[in-house]
């Protein structure tokens, strides 16, 4: 039976943690382009149907995509060269993005998109004051800046930020060590079986397959 949290000890984990300050500086630079809680071209609203926060805000959780099921966002990789170099060194990378969780926000209980993956958080900005954390299954943990947190998000889980400041992480998915599937297999299956209305509003299944084969999004996306 899969555990809730995993302690990964690979070399790439040490590289990421040792480079935490450089990644954080690039996050702060692109967050300052548009740090307001409104939809923008650079930041994508994330799962609004199970994310709750103050009603006066347009959204409560958003991401800055680098890689999405093997498809790279060239503009974002170029804007964050140190982060780009580091995530490209992660073997079997499936997805990667900066993730901003706004103050007084609750990501309600839900399960992830696949039992074949581990979700990873490299915490970059963790408010010093306020109740915040993540529950996976029966275990609850808090984020610690610069220390990787890996968990099985196919289990029921939730997260909350009951502080007055933004919480930010580098969030990325890798294959689950207990299953024998590669990042390529998982990503291809996801794109070939795409049924998410939000994603299909961005492009047709044929367009997504074309982007997947080219391994990059067109500049306009």
């Amino acid at each position: 039976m899969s555990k809730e949290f995993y302690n990964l000890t690979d070399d790439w984990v040490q590289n990421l943690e040792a480079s935490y300050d450089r990644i954080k500086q690039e996050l702060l630079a692109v967050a300052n382009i548009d740090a307001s809680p409104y939809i923008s071209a650079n930041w994508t609203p994330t799962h609004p149907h199970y994310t709750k926060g103050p009603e006066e805000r347009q959204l409560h959780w958003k991401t800055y995509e680098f890689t999405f099921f093997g498809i790279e966002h060239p503009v974002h990789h170029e804007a964050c060269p140190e982060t780009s170099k580091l995530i490209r060194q992660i073997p079997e990378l499936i997805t990667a993005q900066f993730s901003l969780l706004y103050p007084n926000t609750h990501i309600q209980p839900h399960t992830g998109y696949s039992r074949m993956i581990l979700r990873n958080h490299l915490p970059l900005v963790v408010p010093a004051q306020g109740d915040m954390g993540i529950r996976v299954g029966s275990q609850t943990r808090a984020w610690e800046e610069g220390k990787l947190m890996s968990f099985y998000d196919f289990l029921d889980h939730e997260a909350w930020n009951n502080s007055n400041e933004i919480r930010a992480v580098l969030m990325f998915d890798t294959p689950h060590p207990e299953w024998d599937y590669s990042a390529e297999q998982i990503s291809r299956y996801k794109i070939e079986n795409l049924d998410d209305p939000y994603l299909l509003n961005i492009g047709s299944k044929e367009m997504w397959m074309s982007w997947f084969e080219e391994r990059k999004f067109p500049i306009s996306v």
Side-chain angles (χ1 to χ4, degrees):
M1 181 179 178
S2 294
K3 300 179 294 184
E4 289 94 340
F5 291 91
Y6 285 73
N7 181 27
L8 303 184
T9 59
D10 306 80
D11 289 344
W12 60 263
V13 174
Q14 299 175 34
N15 291 340
L16 276 180
E17 292 183 342
S19 305
Y20 142 76
D21 281 332
R22 286 182 286 164
I23 299 172
K24 180 176 181 176
Q25 291 308 308
E26 290 188 336
L27 161 77
L28 295 175
V30 296
N32 285 339
I33 293 173
D34 176 26
S36 66
Y38 295 95
I39 296 171
S40 70
N42 292 315
W43 291 84
T44 304
T46 307
H47 301 297
H49 55 291
Y50 57 72
T51 307
K52 300 297 182 182
E55 292 184 359
E56 64 270 18
R57 287 205 309 248
Q58 188 179 12
L59 74 160
H60 312 290
W61 179 20
K62 64 182 180 180
T63 57
Y64 184 90
E65 306 293 329
F66 291 106
T67 301
F68 187 79
F69 295 108
I71 310 171
E72 292 192 346
H73 197 306
V75 173
H76 293 175
H77 276 272
E78 183 177 347
C80 302
E82 289 294 324
T83 304
S84 174
K85 180 178 69 176
L86 287 160
I87 62 176
R88 283 172 168 158
Q89 292 172 359
I90 300 172
E92 298 294 303
L93 181 71
I94 299 169
T95 66
Q97 58 271 124
F98 287 144
S99 169
L100 296 186
L101 187 62
Y102 279 88
N104 302 301
T105 294
H106 180 201
I107 302 174
Q108 297 182 311
H110 64 286
T111 58
Y113 64 86
S114 173
R115 67 178 69 247
M116 308 301 176
I117 69 105
L118 279 187
R119 175 141 295 176
N120 305 273
H121 286 178
L122 180 68
L124 303 173
V125 178
V126 179
Q129 302 292 327
D131 172 35
M132 69 202 74
I134 180 169
R135 177 193 59 81
V136 181
S138 61
Q139 292 193 32
T140 299
R141 295 193 180 179
W143 296 279
E144 182 181 351
E145 286 196 17
K147 300 298 181 184
L148 189 73
M149 175 189 290
S150 301
F151 59 95
Y152 188 37
D153 88 328
F154 195 69
L155 296 176
D156 182 77
H157 64 285
E158 62 184 320
W160 57 94
N161 175 12
N162 293 326
S163 77
N164 294 318
E165 301 176 60
I166 288 173
R167 181 237 61 182
V169 302
L170 173 65
M171 182 169 70
F172 59 97
D173 295 344
T174 52
H176 195 294
E178 295 178 15
W179 295 88
D180 189 24
Y181 289 93
S182 67
E184 169 72 17
Q185 290 172 312
I186 295 168
S187 298
R188 182 174 291 277
Y189 179 85
K190 180 67 175 180
I191 298 301
E192 287 180 346
N193 295 276
L194 196 64
D195 61 0
D196 186 302
Y198 176 80
L199 298 178
L200 291 172
N201 188 52
I202 295 174
S204 66
K205 290 185 72 171
E206 292 75 18
M207 293 174 68
W208 278 99
M209 279 306 305
S210 173
W211 298 337
F212 178 74
E213 298 298 347
E214 294 176 5
R215 293 298 193 269
K216 66 178 180 180
F217 288 110
I219 298 299
S220 60
V221 172

